[in-house]
Amino acid sequence: MTEAASHSQFTPRVFSGIKPSGGLTLGNYLGAIKRFVAMQGEAYETLYCVVDLHAITVWQDPAELRTATREVAASYLASGIDPEKSILFNQSQVSQHAELGWIFNCVARVGWMNRMTQFKEKAGKNAEKQSLGLYAYPSLMAADILLYHATHVPVGEDQKQHVELTRDIAAKFNHDYKTEFFPLTNPVIEGPAMRVMNLRDGTKKMSKSGESDMERINMLDDADTIAKKFRKARTDPAPLPESLDGLKDRPEARNLVDIYAALSDQSPEAVITEYAGAGWGQFKPALADLAVAKLAPISSEMQRLLDDPAEIDRILARGSERARAIAAPILERTYDIVGLVR
Ligand code: AMP
Ligand code: TRP
């Protein structure tokens, strides 16, 4: 692969997505949505997707899937994704995702899929009983990204391996068909909150599907619930140290400092400088107040948008049309390269 294929011939374009599977967490907000908003502007063309075809790799009740799809769309809008500046849509309305996904199923190797840690974690000992879709999921994710020749993909740390696989698929396609058609996409994983941890166990990721609701902050939690969850968050008894080094073996403490930093747009160092020597009785309420100040306006705007699902559907339909206008010629060109007669 030459430099040309990885950079200059491609328009700077951002693509990212979130699965509509259950409620959104503070991890989704800080690791993804907040950064999606920040990337809107002059530097990139931005596409943000509700990846419903990914959600159904595990069972989704149809009515709940529809609600969750509108909820992710509402969270994008309420957080500041502007549907004029960005292309906001849901994956299943642009059939080219599934079509390019099939082609990539024929490029990716079984051995590559076997190395995907997310599948191993999700499948556990029950790999045989998982859907074939869950196993092939990273290949569809590569299609999501490469269908738009996206150059940059903002994601949380847990998605790094999937973006690297996307590069492997692009490189193998380009090599096999002697072309430089697909770019080598860059993951964008920056800032203090790329892996927001579980509030009850600082060694586990905060996720939509943990056993207890006390483990996570949901974007739609009310102020009292947020305050209670931070108050009850697990910590060690020691106060905050003088420097970040002092948080090395204190994952729960480190997590709360990182959350504070991300919410207040500061570095973790700056937070430690401000709160050096403070006890949890001081830090936790400050963190809760900050989280409520940032999340409350977003959740009330989400509620307002969700009262009018037809308007959300109109925005998604319009975004899908704009997405198709980019995707269709790229898929057609791919078919030509592969030798599919049309
Ligand atoms: P998902 O909810 O799995 O579709 O994830 C959507 C986006 O949120 C991806 O970019 C994830 O990396 C990001 N994300 C999910 N959970 C976390 C977390 N606990 N910390 C940081 N980012 C996260
Ligand atoms: N796999 C991602 C997740 O679980 C969601 C996703 C699907 C995605 N397609 C994508 C993220 C393309 C970035 C780009 O979080």
Side-chain angles (χ1 to χ4, degrees):
M1 184 57 38
T2 64
E3 269 300 286
S6 60
H7 299 295
S8 51
Q9 83 198 62
F10 297 99
T11 322
R13 193 176 277 150
V14 168
F15 182 96
S16 199
I18 296 183
K19 293 191 296 283
S21 51
L24 291 156
T25 70
L26 184 62
N28 293 127
Y29 179 65
L30 295 176
I33 303 170
K34 185 171 191 276
R35 302 166 56 233
F36 299 175
V37 177
M39 290 182 97
Q40 290 186 120
E42 303 296 300
Y44 306 100
E45 188 173 1
T46 45
L47 291 106
Y48 297 121
C49 188
V50 185
V51 286
D52 46 12
L53 296 177
H54 282 274
I56 61 168
T57 56
V58 299
W59 169 251
Q60 303 294 331
D61 171 80
E64 284 170 19
L65 178 61
R66 273 186 281 271
T67 305
T69 298
R70 292 175 183 132
E71 203 173 287
V72 175
S75 78
Y76 282 151
L77 293 164
S79 302
I81 303 283
D82 176 341
E84 296 305 317
K85 287 191 198 149
S86 293
I87 298 180
L88 171 59
F89 71 108
N90 60 311
Q91 185 185 25
S92 60
Q93 291 204 63
V94 182
S95 61
Q96 286 84 357
H97 287 252
E99 295 178 68
L100 187 61
W102 178 258
I103 294 191
F104 287 168
N105 281 345
C106 303
V107 174
R109 304 289 95 180
V110 169
W112 301 1
M113 296 297 150
N114 287 341
R115 284 196 286 278
M116 295 296 112
T117 55
Q118 184 170 294
F119 179 79
K120 288 184 207 165
E121 276 162 25
K122 285 197 175 180
K125 292 199 180 79
N126 278 327
E128 301 269 318
K129 296 219 168 77
Q130 301 303 321
S131 73
L132 188 51
L134 186 67
Y135 184 67
Y137 170 123
S139 162
L140 179 61
M141 177 163 163
D144 299 338
I145 295 167
L146 294 173
L147 187 55
Y148 303 94
H149 281 179
T151 54
H152 294 80
V153 176
V155 279
E157 177 66 39
D158 62 329
Q159 296 302 315
K160 186 166 187 239
Q161 194 184 33
H162 292 161
V163 183
E164 284 164 0
L165 182 96
T166 300
R167 294 166 67 93
D168 291 342
I169 289 177
K172 181 162 165 57
F173 182 98
N174 288 349
H175 173 269
D176 290 353
Y177 292 103
K178 298 184 181 51
T179 172
E180 294 196 340
F181 187 59
F182 288 114
L184 297 188
T185 306
N186 298 301
V188 184
I189 303 172
E190 289 164 353
M194 291 308 93
R195 193 169 169 80
V196 176
M197 306 309 277
N198 179 318
L199 298 181
R200 284 308 181 79
D201 177 351
T203 64
K204 288 193 192 141
K205 194 184 72 157
M206 181 184 286
S207 79
K208 292 164 174 169
S209 56
E211 300 144 29
S212 156
D213 199 53
M214 293 300 286
E215 299 174 0
R216 60 181 166 265
I217 305 286
N218 302 301
M219 285 184 75
L220 289 172
D221 280 345
D222 61 31
D224 289 346
T225 307
I226 292 176
K228 183 172 92 193
K229 286 178 175 176
F230 279 126
R231 198 167 59 240
K232 301 215 162 178
R234 179 169 161 190
T235 44
D236 52 46
L240 284 168
E242 305 287 323
S243 77
L244 271 191
D245 273 353
L247 289 177
K248 228 184 247 150
D249 300 312
R250 301 172 62 188
E252 286 87 8
R254 175 72 209 229
N255 187 40
L256 296 185
V257 168
D258 285 345
I259 292 173
Y260 192 103
L263 282 169
S264 60
D265 295 307
Q266 299 180 73
S267 65
E269 287 83 356
V271 176
I272 282 293
T273 306
E274 188 183 342
Y275 284 97
W280 297 109
Q282 183 189 347
F283 188 73
K284 283 178 168 179
L287 174 58
D289 287 349
L290 174 64
V292 169
K294 298 288 174 180
L295 292 181
I298 298 174
S299 68
S300 62
E301 177 62 4
M302 274 175 78
Q303 302 283 9
R304 193 190 67 78
L305 290 162
L306 288 167
D307 284 342
D308 187 0
E311 175 59 16
I312 296 179
D313 293 359
R314 269 193 295 279
I315 292 171
L316 291 174
R318 170 81 188 109
S320 300
E321 209 176 289
R322 291 169 66 200
R324 273 194 298 271
I326 303 174
I330 291 181
L331 184 70
E332 281 178 25
R333 183 80 190 101
T334 307
Y335 276 22
D336 287 342
I337 292 170
V338 172
L340 300 169
V341 175
R342 290 181 294 120

